[in-house]
Amino acid sequence: MIMILRELRSAWRRLLKRPGYAALSVGVLGVGLGIVLFVFGMISTLVLRPPPFPQAARLVSIGEPHDNDIVGMDSDQYLQLLGKLRSVDRMGAWSAVNLNLDGGSGATYYKGGELSAPMMQLLGVKPLLGRGLVAADDVADAARVILLSETIWRHVFNADPHIVGRSVRVNGQWNTVVGVLPASFGFPFAGTQVWLPLRLSVGEHRTIGTVVRLAPATPLSQARAELDSWAARLQRSLPSGERVRPLIVGPMMASFVPTTLIYWVWLMFGAGVLVLLLACINVANLQLVQTLQRRQELALRSALGSPRVRLMFGALAESLLLGAGALALAFPITYGGIRWIHATWDANNPREASFLHHGMDGWLVAFGVFAAVSSTLLAGGIPAWRASRTNLRDALSDGGKGSGGGFARVAKVMVVAEVALTVVLLVGAGTFVRAVGTLLAQPRVGAAHASHVLTAQVALPPLLYQKDAQRIQFFDTVIERLRRDPAVIDATVSDTVPSAVLGSHEYVSLPGQPQPSDGWSYAQMGIVDPQFLATYGVSLREGRFFDARDTADSPPVAVIDEKMAAAFWPHEDPLNRTLVLYPGTTSAQKLTVIGVVESLQLDSELERSSPGLLLPLRQSFGATPLHSVGLAVRTHANAATYTQRLAAVVHSVDPQAAVYEELSQARRMKISRLGLTVLTDVFSALGLVALLLAAAGLYGVLAFSVEQRTREIGIRRAIGASTGTIIMQVGRRLFWQLGIGLGIGFVLAWPWSNLLATPGLHTRAHDPEVFVSVLLLLLGVAALSALVPLLRALRVDPAVALRYE
């Protein structure tokens, strides 16, 4: 122990004598550690940390599969499934809703949730006041009750201790407050503040989320087998041609965290580890230089009897102190990155599970200590090993002016590794930067300027608008008043915003078509009114668009886009043809095609492009009551200036209607691209850090080479060597290292590029422009890194050689 303390004190004194070297080493290693910890924090949040609910390991979700994720299931299937699975201990359901709550000073919009009574027991939430939801609340004709969040209770109702039993108006209906839930609870999504009972009835066909708790000691595979068996029995009971909607079972997080996001976060973690390796290589090179400068001291200590272990620990002690300083720097970097992610998500209003915790915790700190120790051993191991093998005779004969022998060879190998890793990281960054450029260069749907279209959601009180005619009259009046405004070009009501918000994905087919082996065709479907095309500037290619003829009493019609026309009727006229919506189900509906519009991208631009299908709003009200739809207003000026006017027009028709999420189409498109832009920012930061570290490494090895070869360079200058000869002599080894590193890097980047290739994100494998750009960039950085050392070599005075001799 005394030896350890002495070596640590000695290492501390050496670092104080070289503050520049110490600061540079701490900074380089700290940045590498901070990046790895930041990405590990995302993995911990999305993958490693279980949901904060009782018996979380036994909680799973049941729903329909969609791109390896679990999405909602049909409410009728849920009712049929209740009590049928022996492997399930308890089964609950939920749905996200939008609510207008009037606490006495006017209606205010809130995010809400509908929960079945078992759902509250699965989540283990205990009310601060009153009670939770019970089975009697789920009955259709039971008294209307509501749960409030602690935040609403304190700020809207001034923490009224008698709130339980008080009646409040929700969506125009009176509900009795039965409980207050703690502020820490926000299920299902962040910002949820109000909860109602989930009341389901047969034939309603709502889309709901389902969470179940497996019976004790029941593996997930048993639940999957039992669900498949139930689905097979149900299929046999259905009429010929009708199929059961497929259901799968998976971890609860699969319903809240997309698997594609997890995939990309793991790739980012791999890239972060490469950055940390680069940092370790840089610090190792710095320590090699310091060890080389101390080799006479180390050789003398070895000759006087110091054991090799003590010499190694003496070198490692310096690394341990640098690692401690790097860890102290890494934690603020990590915290800043986590706050940036949190702020980015909050500012762009994405729907995120309320129980995902973005922050520092014990697991992150423990991993940070582990990573710091590992990095320290990696960065200091080679210099320490070389320090323990210093030979007194070689050190004294070299006189401190040689090439450093083995030290220099190790440094060269590490520079090759550094260049190779930098190539891999720059290919990743270049791939995502290129993807963003490709995305932004895509022609957008419609001719309207995205910043001149204001969109908003409107929620109508269901009690006041029970009939389709009432809802249609409300929106007709709003649209009429908006279109009379001189600032407005046109306005529309729909459930979709092109390139940003999709109404729904639905299956379609031709009449009499058997189900293909790979499933029915998928379509992006939007429910729109007759002003949709004019508001967004979408072109009608042939036929007509919806008008006053398309009512609930008229034959069902549809307008398709050019992609669907080419898919179903290539080289034929699609007008007046028949299309089947929801094929293979009792809800199957035949539609007559009355028009074709330009190719649509109704979903986010990051999603797979599918054929587009539009249905008239007046015919869709009866099939699926749309109590919450979207308004879009195309203005002459920037849409943001019309926000208050839009709300005033809606409230002039009905003050109880809630207007919320007032965002321009451009802002909604930006939100829909959020995942790609965050990935691009992170990979770009990783690439930039890698480039700086590589430049520092190349500069360091060349500067070290010039310093060690000062005597040789001076002699060559004395005997008349030209400038070109000196540059070739000094730079030859560096460019050999650079060439080998580039070759290895591009070989490694080839499979890495395969992992990054995703059509949905517009990323390409083996993109030649990315590879060529990386090559040119690194050659340029190498040239700049070599500039100062080469100039120093050219300024060597020949008298230096004589003085050394």
Side-chain angles (χ1 to χ4, degrees):
M1 180 59 69
I2 294 177
M3 182 272 289
I4 292 176
L5 292 176
R6 286 178 177 174
E7 292 297 337
L8 286 172
R9 281 198 300 268
S10 178
W12 178 253
R13 287 195 294 269
R14 290 197 302 271
L15 291 176
L16 289 179
K17 292 178 181 178
R18 295 166 292 167
Y21 153 73
L24 181 60
S25 298
V26 167
V28 168
L29 199 57
V31 169
L33 277 173
I35 289 174
V36 167
L37 292 184
F38 162 63
V39 183
F40 179 81
M42 296 178 65
I43 291 175
S44 177
T45 296
L46 300 175
V47 182
L48 303 180
R49 190 184 293 122
F53 306 127
Q55 301 173 319
R58 291 166 53 193
L59 295 182
V60 298
S61 290
I62 299 179
E64 296 184 27
H66 178 66
D67 293 339
N68 298 318
D69 297 325
I70 298 178
V71 296
M73 66 186 295
D74 185 84
S75 58
D76 274 30
Q77 282 188 304
Y78 170 80
L79 294 174
Q80 291 173 325
L81 196 58
L82 276 175
K84 301 296 193 304
L85 303 179
R86 292 190 301 273
S87 58
V88 170
D89 180 50
R90 191 176 296 275
M91 189 171 186
W94 59 271
S95 176
V97 294
N98 301 313
L99 303 171
N100 295 340
L101 186 144
D102 189 347
S105 57
T108 304
Y109 160 76
Y110 289 102
K111 290 183 180 180
E114 291 181 324
L115 306 177
S116 66
M119 196 70 216
M120 294 200 67
Q121 299 170 9
L122 290 172
L123 301 178
V125 58
K126 296 182 179 179
L128 290 177
L129 296 175
R131 64 169 177 86
L133 300 176
V134 297
D137 296 325
D138 290 343
V139 179
D141 57 355
R144 304 189 63 85
V145 298
I146 186 173
L147 296 172
L148 303 178
S149 70
E150 181 182 0
T151 303
I152 290 182
W153 174 56
R154 293 188 181 280
H155 294 95
V156 177
F157 297 98
N158 299 316
D160 180 6
H162 306 294
I163 188 67
V164 175
R166 181 172 169 176
S167 293
V168 296
R169 206 173 187 184
V170 180
N171 290 339
Q173 297 175 301
W174 291 101
N175 292 56
T176 302
V177 178
V178 295
V180 175
L181 301 186
S184 58
F185 181 79
F187 189 87
F189 299 110
T192 302
Q193 306 259 21
V194 181
W195 296 268
L196 300 172
L198 179 63
R199 295 172 176 174
L200 303 176
S201 57
V202 177
E204 192 174 8
H205 294 293
R206 292 181 58 186
T207 299
I208 58 173
T210 303
V211 176
V212 303
R213 184 171 63 207
L214 298 177
T218 300
L220 187 59
S221 58
Q222 180 177 334
R224 286 173 175 159
E226 197 175 356
L227 182 64
D228 292 341
S229 176
W230 172 84
R233 291 194 304 272
L234 181 61
Q235 179 64 59
R236 288 192 293 268
S237 67
L238 295 178
S240 176
E242 186 175 340
R243 292 184 175 273
V244 175
R245 299 177 73 169
L247 296 177
I248 59 173
V249 183
M252 180 180 173
M253 293 295 286
S255 293
F256 295 92
V257 181
T259 53
T260 52
L261 177 60
I262 295 174
Y263 174 80
W264 288 111
V265 170
W266 277 114
L267 284 184
M268 282 197 296
F269 182 71
V273 170
L274 293 183
V275 170
L276 182 57
L277 285 175
L278 276 173
C280 291
I281 290 172
N282 265 279
V283 174
N285 266 329
L286 289 171
Q287 289 188 289
L288 273 174
V289 172
Q290 300 302 318
T291 303
L292 181 58
Q293 293 176 350
R294 295 179 56 224
R295 66 188 185 280
Q296 292 187 11
E297 171 202 337
L298 295 171
L300 185 60
R301 289 179 61 183
S302 178
L304 293 177
S306 288
R308 178 174 293 182
V309 173
R310 180 161 186 175
L311 293 177
M312 287 188 66
F313 182 78
L316 280 176
E318 195 170 303
S319 298
L320 290 171
L321 293 175
L322 293 174
L327 186 60
L329 176 63
F331 281 138
I333 293 175
T334 303
Y335 179 77
I338 291 173
R339 296 304 303 167
W340 168 69
I341 283 287
H342 194 65
T344 300
W345 249 244
D346 284 350
N348 291 283
N349 302 314
R351 217 165 63 150
E352 182 184 57
S354 60
F355 49 82
L356 294 180
H357 171 71
H358 298 283
M360 307 277 289
D361 59 11
W363 286 105
L364 187 59
V365 172
F367 179 79
V369 173
F370 168 77
V373 172
S374 301
S375 304
T376 295
L377 294 176
L378 184 62
I382 294 176
W385 177 72
R386 294 298 306 172
S388 67
R389 294 173 59 85
T390 304
N391 181 276
L392 179 62
R393 183 180 61 185
D394 292 343
L396 294 179
S397 63
D398 185 62
K401 301 175 287 295
S403 65
F407 289 90
R409 285 192 295 272
V410 172
K412 293 170 186 174
V413 170
M414 288 197 289
V415 168
V416 169
E418 198 168 13
V419 173
L421 294 179
T422 303
V423 169
V424 174
L425 287 164
L426 287 178
V427 165
T431 297
F432 277 94
V433 171
R434 176 116 168 107
V436 170
T438 302
L439 181 63
L440 296 178
Q442 282 187 323
R444 193 172 47 79
V445 175
H449 199 292
S451 63
H452 288 188
V453 178
L454 178 65
T455 69
Q457 294 296 108
V458 178
L460 298 178
L463 184 64
L464 304 180
Y465 294 88
Q466 296 183 9
K467 297 181 179 180
D468 291 344
Q470 294 173 309
R471 294 189 287 274
I472 291 173
Q473 180 62 41
F474 170 84
F475 286 114
D476 282 349
T477 304
V478 170
I479 292 297
E480 181 185 354
R481 294 186 184 184
L482 287 170
R483 298 182 75 190
R484 287 204 304 260
D485 193 322
V488 172
I489 298 175
D490 221 318
T492 185
V493 180
S494 69
D495 69 345
T496 185
V497 177
S499 300
V501 179
L502 175 66
S504 63
H505 277 119
E506 302 297 347
Y507 291 113
V508 292
S509 73
L510 295 176
Q513 176 187 358
Q515 183 176 8
S517 57
D518 57 349
W520 301 110
S521 297
Y522 224 24
Q524 304 176 50
M525 190 176 82
I527 298 174
V528 305
D529 73 354
Q531 287 77 38
F532 180 82
L533 297 190
T535 302
Y536 288 104
V538 178
S539 299
L540 179 67
R541 300 301 193 205
E542 55 180 314
R544 71 173 180 88
F545 200 61
F546 308 127
D547 55 30
R549 290 171 283 180
D550 305 310
T551 66
D553 299 324
S554 63
V557 296
V559 171
I560 63 175
D561 73 345
E562 292 175 314
K563 286 181 291 189
M564 182 170 288
F568 284 103
W569 300 283
H571 313 297
E572 297 181 41
D573 186 3
L575 294 181
N576 299 316
R577 298 296 185 101
T578 302
L579 194 67
V580 179
L581 182 63
Y582 317 124
T585 70
T586 55
S587 304
Q589 185 179 17
K590 291 184 178 181
L591 308 170
T592 300
V593 177
I594 61 171
V596 179
V597 298
E598 64 177 285
S599 294
L600 299 173
Q601 179 63 23
L602 300 180
D603 206 349
S604 163
E605 294 169 308
L606 305 186
E607 297 298 327
R608 180 180 57 194
S609 180
S610 305
L613 173 67
L614 301 177
L615 301 185
L617 186 70
R618 291 174 182 269
Q619 290 186 348
S620 301
F621 265 124
T624 305
L626 298 175
H627 294 299
S628 178
V629 298
L631 278 178
V633 180
R634 182 179 177 184
T635 61
H636 292 284
N638 192 300
T641 60
Y642 199 76
T643 301
Q644 293 183 349
R645 179 61 185 156
L646 175 62
V649 171
V650 173
H651 290 151
S652 70
V653 179
D654 188 344
Q656 290 296 317
V659 183
Y660 57 98
E661 294 183 8
E662 299 98 326
L663 300 169
S664 69
Q665 184 188 11
R667 179 69 186 280
R668 288 195 183 275
M669 291 170 62
K670 178 181 177 182
I671 293 172
S672 72
R673 300 169 181 167
L674 183 61
L676 179 59
T677 53
V678 168
L679 286 171
T680 303
D681 290 344
V682 173
F683 271 102
S684 298
L686 294 174
L688 178 60
V689 172
L691 192 63
L692 294 175
L693 292 177
L698 292 172
Y699 170 81
V701 72
L702 192 58
F704 176 72
S705 175
V706 168
E707 181 181 350
Q708 294 301 307
R709 299 175 65 190
T710 299
R711 178 174 53 181
E712 175 194 345
I713 294 171
I715 293 175
R716 289 181 179 275
R717 297 286 286 173
I719 61 177
S722 66
T723 298
T725 302
I726 297 297
I727 292 175
M728 289 295 296
Q729 289 292 329
V730 174
R732 182 187 304 164
R733 293 179 182 177
L734 172 67
F735 286 102
W736 267 109
Q737 293 167 270
L738 181 64
I740 295 172
L742 287 172
I744 295 174
F746 283 119
V747 169
L748 295 175
W750 196 262
W752 172 247
S753 181
N754 284 330
L755 293 175
L756 296 173
T758 302
L761 294 182
H762 305 278
T763 51
R764 293 174 52 195
H766 319 138
D767 190 330
E769 291 192 23
V770 171
F771 278 72
V772 171
S773 299
V774 169
L775 174 63
L776 296 177
L777 181 60
L778 275 175
L779 289 176
V781 168
L784 291 174
S785 302
L787 184 61
V788 174
L790 286 175
L791 290 176
R792 188 181 303 163
L794 294 175
R795 288 199 299 267
V796 171
D797 191 338
V800 172
L802 301 177
R803 183 160 59 251
Y804 275 114
E805 291 302 319

